[in-house]
Amino acid sequence: MHQQKEQKVLKQLLNYLNDDKQPIGVRLPSERKLTEQLSTSRSTLRSALKTLQAKGVLEVKAGSGCYLMSKNEIDNLLNNNQTDNKSQISDSLEAFYLFEPIAVTLATDRMDDATLKSLEQCIVDLSVAILVPDIEKVVENHKNFHKIIIKSTGNNFIIKCLERFELNYILVSNMMSQASIDQRNKIFALHVNLFQAIKDRNPENAKTASEAMIMSTSALLAQYEGIKLPKIISDKATLSN
């Protein structure tokens, strides 16, 4: 249901932005006004906005708002059906599996102590969210955990590339709401393993932990959202069983 609501809001936003009256560079109305106009919740709106940001359609400026940056992807996003979306997500998971673990090794070497403490706090917040449970907070902390790590690479090109994989989070929320408590606890344990490897400054263990987390999340997306596992992930999962 959450996914359907977000897809509906996403389509409404795309139609709004595609209007000839909306020039490149225009600032979108405030979140409050948009939630009223689209009859949606703030959390659903924010997820849709982040999807458009990841696609390069919008730019979010802290303290200023959202701005229309490009219309190049709007037609493609409007025309994509659910099957196409699932195919794209499968491709995105494959790319994520290939690129993020390498970025994690770089972050392990470069992360400073202050950022490591922020990552540890994210683990604590994730634990509380799973215990409650608060699915929105689970997904938010899952997302923040990865963002903190990727930003620690200090490489703006890597950061921008991996930001484009945020489309996966459209389904992560719905997937987490269906997952059992044991499955959520496993995801949490994988976060802890990755954090410990980074804390120990062990790039190889961090890479392995990152791969394990992506494989586990992918398996849940396949189970609950019907996403076809990329061959590189399904083959690795078979070997590990």
Side-chain angles (χ1 to χ4, degrees), residues 10-110:
L10 185 59
K11 186 174 181 179
Q12 289 175 309
L13 277 172
L14 287 167
N15 284 322
Y16 170 78
L17 295 170
N18 208 29
D19 193 300
D20 290 338
K21 296 178 182 178
Q22 304 299 334
I24 300 298
V26 69
R27 177 182 168 184
L28 273 63
S30 66
E31 282 189 359
R32 181 180 62 79
K33 288 184 178 179
L34 283 174
T35 54
E36 291 174 356
Q37 291 175 14
L38 303 176
S39 299
T40 189
S41 67
R42 184 161 291 190
S43 61
T44 300
L45 174 66
R46 285 178 177 173
S47 293
L49 291 173
K50 286 179 180 178
T51 297
L52 294 180
Q53 181 185 14
K55 286 292 183 180
V57 176
L58 298 178
E59 180 179 1
V60 180
K61 299 180 180 179
S64 180
C66 295
Y67 294 81
L68 176 60
M69 299 305 295
S70 173
K71 292 191 176 186
N72 294 338
E73 287 292 321
I74 290 181
D75 285 339
N76 288 335
L77 290 168
L78 281 170
N79 292 330
N80 279 342
N81 57 35
Q82 188 64 23
T83 301
D84 292 334
N85 286 338
K86 288 185 176 181
S87 176
Q88 287 182 8
I89 291 168
S90 181
D91 288 347
S92 181
L93 286 172
E94 182 176 57
F96 203 53
Y97 181 81
L98 290 170
F99 296 140
E100 192 189 55
I102 302 301
V104 165
T105 63
L106 192 61
T108 301
D109 285 331
R110 296 181 177 180

Side-chain angles (χ1 to χ4, degrees), residues 38-202:
L38 303 176
S39 299
T40 189
S41 67
R42 184 161 291 190
S43 61
T44 300
L45 174 66
R46 285 178 177 173
S47 293
L49 291 173
K50 286 179 180 178
T51 297
L52 294 180
Q53 181 185 14
K55 286 292 183 180
V57 176
L58 298 178
E59 180 179 1
V60 180
K61 299 180 180 179
S64 180
C66 295
Y67 294 81
L68 176 60
M69 299 305 295
S70 173
K71 292 191 176 186
N72 294 338
E73 287 292 321
I74 290 181
D75 285 339
N76 288 335
L77 290 168
L78 281 170
N79 292 330
N80 279 342
N81 57 35
Q82 188 64 23
T83 301
D84 292 334
N85 286 338
K86 288 185 176 181
S87 176
Q88 287 182 8
I89 291 168
S90 181
D91 288 347
S92 181
L93 286 172
E94 182 176 57
F96 203 53
Y97 181 81
L98 290 170
F99 296 140
E100 192 189 55
I102 302 301
V104 165
T105 63
L106 192 61
T108 301
D109 285 331
R110 296 181 177 180
M111 187 177 295
D112 58 38
D113 290 341
T115 305
L116 189 63
K117 286 184 178 179
S118 296
L119 195 64
E120 186 173 22
Q121 183 59 51
C122 198
I123 288 284
V124 173
D125 293 341
L126 179 61
S127 175
V128 172
I130 288 176
L131 185 63
V132 172
D134 185 334
I135 300 303
E136 188 173 325
K137 288 293 184 182
V138 170
V139 176
E140 180 182 334
N141 283 290
H142 175 75
K143 188 185 302 185
N144 288 341
F145 183 85
H146 287 279
K147 281 188 173 181
I148 290 171
I149 293 173
I150 298 309
K151 285 185 178 179
S152 293
T153 65
N155 185 308
N156 287 327
F157 187 77
I158 292 175
I159 293 168
K160 289 294 183 183
C161 285
L162 289 173
E163 276 179 355
R164 296 186 66 83
F165 299 133
E166 281 204 355
L167 179 63
N168 291 333
Y169 291 109
I170 297 175
L171 298 183
V172 168
S173 179
N174 194 45
M175 174 265 287
M176 283 291 190
S177 68
Q178 300 176 77
S180 68
I181 186 63
D182 287 343
Q183 288 172 326
R184 291 179 206 155
N185 285 338
K186 180 181 178 180
I187 291 291
F188 173 70
L190 291 169
H191 280 78
V192 173
N193 290 346
L194 179 51
F195 168 75
Q196 191 60 51
I198 294 173
K199 184 179 180 181
D200 293 342
R201 307 298 182 183
N202 190 321

